[in-house]
Amino acid sequence: MTSRGIVIVGAGQSAAVAAQALREHGYSGRITMLGRERHRPYERPALSKAALVAAGDPRLDVLTDESWTRSKIDLRSGSDAVALDLLQQQVRLANGQVLEYEICLIATGGEATTLAAATAGRPGVHYLRTQDDARRLRAALQGTPRVAILGGGFLGLEIANSALSAGASVTVIERATSLLDRFVPPGASAWLASRMRAAGARLLLGASCSGVHSVPVDRLCLTTSTGDLEVDEVIIAIGLSPNDALARDAGLEIAAGGGILVDASCRTSNEHVFACGDCTSQRRPGQAVPTRIESWQNANEQARTAAAAMLGAPLPAPALPWFWTDQGKHNIQMLGLPSRDLEYVRRGDPANDKVLWIGHRGSVPLHGVAINAGADLRAVRPLFERGQPVRLEDFQRDATNLRAWAKQMQADTATPA
């Protein structure tokens, strides 16, 4: 590798994990990291939880002070990359500076999807993507305000629980007729809706918002399909858009649904450019089209894969997608990827707030959803990794020891018929 070194565009979680992995693989050259925010790389999951309810800012740094020093990263905070020249292998910054690279890693993450009727920066309107966003929202939640949250996805519901715990009156407006219907089976969706209502949230399902208007006394009025709603604060949580404009403008291949297209090694359509994290769409075995996975785990896994591939080191083994969310006092974990054609079997009773669903196709476990049952999901994880049919009728019996059952299923599938 030449003295040009590695330039990482982006300074979030995936960028920091990649830089650390490069050092762990023995890379001693220059690592320059470009970040828009004036913070060291930090993790975002806590922004919708602890950062909204804690008395002060929680420690969110991806790397400890010792690891940061040891990684010797040249962090250019407040730097915005505006152009990528693939031929000259250069990155141009907004201030006119040009950086040359041997290899470029794009880890630009995503941006909160915005609503035309509620622009960012407008008084009383909030989007949650950065530490500064969380600080502003935390201040707005003081004094028991009336809050409307547009979007009943994972982020919107996490914010709703945090707002409720801060004493706010909360209404969640969701276009779908059930919560998280693309990600969990109907039983899990119904359980979540009941727990949100029990916590004090008002749910407007199958509803939409067509306008946000200012009214006297510093309040906002939402025009929704179920009528007008007057509130003090509006929080928009309607999704994440991949921050792929830099790659798109440079001529890198972009997936049809958005996101920088990368292969199994996180290489883009240019041999000297890699990408990882929320800005990517990856071709995965068994998937008809490239997929985007917005998760803490995927950001880390892709970062380590990209670092190894950049240096020609062996790639880490692909990991099953794993996702978690804390909804108030409840923990939800998911393993694998959902699909509309899966059939689900259940162990446990949602009324008892501990249940595990397995989504399967032909008795092959492909998607697990655990409510307050993370240990049970870990016990059966090897069956997901093997990708072979299992006897699910035993799984559904409460008396079945899951760990022993999983071991028996592995032994059975390993024995020739």
Side-chain angles (χ1 to χ4, degrees):
M1 194 171 289
T2 70
S3 60
R4 288 178 172 225
I6 295 173
V7 173
I8 301 177
V9 183
Q13 175 185 326
S14 202
V17 171
Q20 184 182 44
L22 286 167
R23 294 306 189 202
E24 290 173 349
H25 281 295
Y27 178 69
S28 59
R30 183 189 305 116
I31 299 177
T32 304
M33 185 180 292
L34 309 174
R36 289 179 177 176
E37 295 183 60
R38 297 190 179 278
H39 305 287
R40 268 180 22 189
Y42 61 89
E43 297 184 344
R44 300 185 191 274
L47 294 181
S48 56
K49 298 182 281 289
L52 296 184
V53 298
D57 292 332
R59 181 69 181 268
L60 305 178
D61 288 359
V62 178
L63 304 180
T64 64
D65 292 340
E66 181 183 356
S67 295
W68 180 261
T69 300
R70 190 166 57 245
S71 295
K72 296 180 180 179
I73 300 167
D74 178 13
L75 175 62
R76 311 283 183 92
S77 297
S79 297
D80 193 6
V82 296
L84 179 64
D85 187 327
L86 302 179
L87 185 61
Q88 298 297 322
Q89 293 178 225
Q90 296 175 339
V91 178
R92 181 163 58 84
L93 308 185
N95 63 7
Q97 186 180 5
V98 174
L99 300 178
E100 296 184 329
Y101 64 83
E102 177 66 18
I103 294 178
C104 177
L105 175 65
I106 303 176
T108 45
E111 300 286 345
T113 302
T114 57
L115 190 67
T119 54
R122 182 176 169 184
V125 173
H126 303 269
Y127 291 85
L128 183 59
R129 185 59 183 165
T130 69
Q131 273 190 307
D132 294 333
D133 293 338
R135 290 178 183 138
R136 286 189 290 268
L137 181 53
R138 182 174 62 201
L141 291 177
Q142 304 305 306
T144 63
R146 289 179 295 176
V147 173
I149 300 173
L150 302 186
F154 294 109
L155 179 63
L157 295 178
E158 287 177 356
I159 296 171
N161 278 291
S162 295
L164 288 166
S165 68
S169 172
V170 175
T171 299
V172 177
I173 303 170
E174 167 58 39
R175 284 182 176 273
T177 56
S178 57
L179 296 175
L180 305 180
D181 65 341
R182 293 189 297 119
F183 303 100
V184 300
S189 179
W191 171 88
L192 183 57
S194 70
R195 294 303 177 266
M196 291 300 301
R197 291 189 175 104
R202 179 189 180 196
L203 302 181
L204 299 182
L205 302 179
S208 60
C209 176
S210 58
V212 179
H213 313 285
S214 298
V215 294
V217 202
D218 298 325
R219 290 178 180 167
L220 297 168
C221 181
L222 281 67
T223 302
T224 79
S225 56
T226 60
D228 289 348
L229 177 66
E230 193 170 301
V231 297
D232 301 298
E233 311 290 337
V234 176
I235 303 164
I236 317 298
I238 55 176
L240 190 72
S241 300
N243 198 344
D244 57 15
L246 183 73
R248 187 186 300 271
D249 292 344
L252 293 174
E253 190 172 357
I254 305 297
I260 305 167
L261 191 62
V262 297
D263 63 14
S265 65
C266 291
R267 191 186 301 272
T268 70
S269 54
N270 181 278
E271 63 177 331
H272 298 290
V273 181
F274 292 74
C276 60
D278 290 346
C279 65
T280 68
S281 188
Q282 191 171 38
R283 295 187 178 97
R284 300 172 186 275
Q287 298 263 299
V289 296
T291 55
R292 290 183 54 234
I293 298 180
E294 301 162 4
S295 73
W296 179 92
Q297 181 225 28
N298 187 62
N300 289 345
E301 296 293 342
Q302 284 193 333
R304 296 188 183 104
T305 295
M310 284 190 280
L311 302 180
L315 301 184
L320 275 175
W322 172 75
F323 178 84
W324 61 268
T325 176
D326 287 327
Q327 298 292 336
K329 64 181 181 180
H330 302 293
N331 174 259
I332 301 175
Q333 296 186 33
M334 290 179 287
L335 183 67
L337 295 175
S339 177
R340 292 291 188 187
D341 66 337
L342 296 183
E343 296 182 51
Y344 284 86
V345 293
R346 190 189 78 202
R347 175 189 172 91
D349 186 350
N352 297 327
D353 293 336
K354 182 177 180 181
V355 61
L356 172 61
W357 283 268
I358 288 182
H360 66 97
R361 188 183 298 120
S363 296
V364 177
L366 296 171
H367 186 225
V369 178
I371 296 175
N372 300 319
D376 289 346
L377 186 58
R378 288 192 295 275
V380 300
R381 181 182 182 123
L383 303 181
F384 287 76
E385 294 171 338
R386 292 176 70 88
Q388 295 179 333
V390 297
R391 293 193 304 274
L392 290 168
E393 59 273 15
D394 293 335
F395 161 79
Q396 298 176 75
R397 299 189 182 100
D398 290 339
T400 299
N401 181 298
L402 281 186
R403 195 170 298 279
W405 173 75
K407 289 182 178 179
Q408 183 61 53
M409 292 299 97
Q410 293 177 77
D412 289 351
T413 56
T415 303

